[in-house]
Amino acid sequence: MIVRKIEPVIRRLMGEYPAVTIFGPRQCGKTTLALSLYPGFSHANLEDLQTRKLAEEDPYEFFIRYPEPVIIDEIQRVPSLLSLVQVRIDERKEMGQYIITGSQQIRLQNTVSQSLAGRTAVVNLLPLSLDELANAGIAMDRDQQLVSGFMPYLFQAPGRTPSDYYRSYLTTYVERDVASVGAVHDLSRFLAFLTLLAGRCGQLVNNSALSGEVGVSSTTIGSWLSILEASHLVYILRPWFTSRTSQIVKTPKIYFCDVGFAAHLLGISTPAQMNRDPLMGKLFENMIVMEAVKARYNAGKSNQLYFFRNSNGLEVDLLVGQQRKLIPYEIKSGRIMDSKHTLNLKKFISKYPNDIAENGGVIYSGESVERFKGYAYRNFHDSTPLFEDNEPPFTVSF
């Protein structure tokens, strides 16, 4: 089993709260993680029909069969169970009695916040990170990594094919999550929308343009985006802006939580195809941005990640918040260094010097070097983890 970096966070929170709720996409390793951390806990999987019926029809009997401490999987199947969890927490007044997992936040956001307010800590788990793979002795070339993605199943045994896995994953997601929500009445159009969205990863979200291509209203597009975000299929990166100027673009960008899933939707199934595809650069950016998200989640930190873009064409791919200031990064898929990679960084830092915590650098896919004409570069597979700890992986003094 691949060790997950979020483990110390969960152990700490289990000592501070009666329950810990783990949200994350399907098959990202929530159950495996919970069972490995607490093998002595009872385990109830609400995807199982009989277990679900018991929880719905006789919740008191449910807790006789699955006594505390207990792992309750896929709570979105029976959200009403949380009301009894609240009562039992208040009666028992013990820490670390429940691990609750969920892959769909649409039904749960209000329920968890109302029923378990102050009683549960919420953590987000995403698929494996580059650092977690590296610690397990797994390292891939850029194009193979983009095709394979980061779902744990693909790395549990050799020879598993990403295209077969993601085909099944898409069917599971649509059948279990989207169909159950009831907000999607035309699955064929929703699948077309999902594919169009994959072609726009790393780009500004334009609901009106998408609605014209899919043939539904922009309101529906907004609703579908909310479903995807709540299901942890996509991540919305918000822009950073200040009140000093009105020249900042305030439209968010879209990324897929697993780049392999986005590649599958685009019909890219081999490294050779990836290398030739015009969207490879955006998929590489997708991978690196999600590495930053994973690093924040795995460290139990707030999600202070942004991008910058103004109407004059100045853009910085990623801004990482650090104590109310920013570390800027440019992301380049190329294998060759170029001083042009740092132009936007330099312009941004000179424009907002008081908002910069560290000067950041460029993440790219060529050979690693420490400096190039006064600027920092690093390969995405360097031994130093990306975006971790309080210090950035590399800094530059201009």
Side-chain angles (χ1 to χ4, degrees):
M1 175 186 160
I2 296 175
V3 177
R4 305 307 299 266
K5 303 209 76 172
I6 202 171
E7 288 183 8
V9 173
I10 293 176
R11 288 191 184 277
R12 173 177 60 81
L13 293 172
M14 283 289 279
E16 298 173 359
Y17 290 85
V20 170
T21 302
I22 306 174
F23 285 131
R26 286 191 175 276
Q27 302 177 28
C28 73
K30 299 184 296 296
T31 303
T32 301
L33 174 61
L35 289 172
S36 68
L37 287 174
Y38 300 99
F41 279 30
S42 304
H43 177 217
N45 185 355
L46 296 179
E47 290 285 9
D48 177 74
L49 179 60
Q50 294 301 318
T51 305
R52 185 163 68 249
K53 285 184 65 178
L54 178 64
E56 291 171 336
E57 297 172 4
D58 193 346
Y60 289 94
E61 177 66 26
F62 173 88
F63 280 108
I64 294 174
R65 188 170 301 180
Y66 302 103
E68 295 89 345
V70 60
I71 298 166
I72 304 175
D73 266 330
E74 304 299 347
I75 190 64
Q76 75 275 0
R77 288 295 192 177
V78 192
S80 60
L81 191 63
L82 290 173
S83 296
L84 183 54
V85 170
Q86 175 193 340
V87 172
R88 295 175 73 87
I89 285 175
D90 292 345
E91 289 175 347
R92 297 169 65 89
K93 295 181 172 60
E94 294 182 49
M95 300 299 107
Q97 294 299 294
Y98 303 86
I99 289 188
I100 301 166
T101 78
S103 58
Q104 233 271 24
Q105 288 193 57
I106 292 175
R107 297 179 177 180
L108 295 178
Q109 285 174 331
N110 292 333
T111 306
V112 169
S113 61
Q114 291 174 9
S115 298
L116 300 184
R119 301 171 180 88
T120 186
V122 176
V123 298
N124 291 289
L125 181 70
L126 290 175
L128 297 166
S129 67
L130 285 168
D131 192 41
E132 287 169 337
L133 289 175
N135 289 340
I138 301 170
M140 296 180 175
D141 177 73
R142 176 196 67 191
D143 299 334
Q144 181 64 63
Q145 188 71 74
L146 292 174
V147 170
S148 299
F150 294 87
M151 284 298 191
Y153 175 86
L154 292 168
F155 302 96
Q156 291 170 353
R160 290 178 172 173
T161 307
S163 58
D164 292 339
Y165 171 78
Y166 287 113
R167 188 181 305 112
S168 174
Y169 188 86
L170 177 60
T171 301
T172 300
Y173 168 68
V174 170
E175 288 181 352
R176 292 189 181 182
D177 285 345
V178 176
S180 67
V181 171
V184 178
H185 304 293
D186 190 333
L187 288 179
S188 63
R189 287 190 177 182
F190 181 81
L191 289 172
F193 161 72
L194 201 55
T195 302
L196 284 171
L197 211 58
R200 288 162 172 75
C201 65
Q203 299 180 31
L204 299 178
V205 179
N206 187 324
N207 289 7
S208 297
L210 285 167
S211 69
E213 293 190 59
V214 179
V216 298
S217 69
S218 58
T219 302
T220 298
I221 294 294
S223 173
W224 288 357
L225 278 172
S226 296
I227 292 171
L228 291 174
E229 187 177 21
S231 302
H232 306 275
L233 262 291
V234 302
Y235 176 80
I236 307 296
L237 184 67
R238 267 75 186 184
W240 177 83
F241 57 91
T242 71
S243 58
R244 304 175 202 174
T245 175
S246 60
Q247 300 300 304
I248 311 300
V249 175
K250 298 182 181 180
T251 306
K253 284 185 177 183
I254 188 81
Y255 294 95
F256 276 71
C257 289
D258 188 75
V259 68
F261 185 52
H264 171 74
L265 289 169
L266 294 170
I268 305 172
S269 59
T270 67
Q273 283 180 286
M274 181 63 71
N275 185 263
R276 297 190 302 267
D277 198 280
L279 288 174
M280 185 272 288
K282 285 299 181 183
L283 290 170
F284 181 81
E285 179 183 325
N286 192 135
M287 177 177 71
I288 299 301
V289 168
M290 291 313 302
E291 285 300 300
V293 179
K294 293 170 191 175
R296 304 295 292 196
Y297 287 169
N298 289 344
K301 295 180 180 178
S302 60
N303 189 18
Q304 294 178 301
L305 300 173
Y306 317 93
F307 74 95
F308 177 86
R309 182 174 181 176
N310 66 16
S311 58
N312 295 323
L314 176 59
E315 183 170 0
V316 177
D317 294 326
L318 181 64
L319 302 173
V320 178
Q322 186 183 80
Q323 298 178 354
R324 297 187 178 181
K325 293 199 173 184
L326 304 166
I327 308 170
Y329 294 96
E330 281 288 85
I331 303 168
K332 305 296 180 182
S333 63
R335 300 185 190 274
I336 300 174
M337 297 179 299
D338 193 324
S339 59
K340 293 179 182 178
H341 291 171
T342 61
L343 292 179
N344 280 356
L345 283 177
K346 189 174 182 179
K347 290 178 182 177
F348 178 79
I349 291 169
S350 64
K351 188 174 181 66
Y352 300 103
N354 295 328
D355 296 296
I356 303 301
E358 300 285 353
N359 288 339
V362 178
I363 301 167
Y364 81 126
S365 63
E367 293 299 320
S368 301
V369 295
E370 292 183 0
R371 294 286 181 102
F372 178 65
K373 294 185 179 179
Y375 298 92
Y377 285 74
R378 66 160 289 170
N379 183 279
F380 75 100
H381 267 319
D382 275 2
S383 58
T384 304
L386 285 168
F387 311 115
E388 290 198 0
D389 302 320
N390 292 325
E391 297 298 325
F394 50 85
T395 60
V396 185
S397 296
F398 287 98

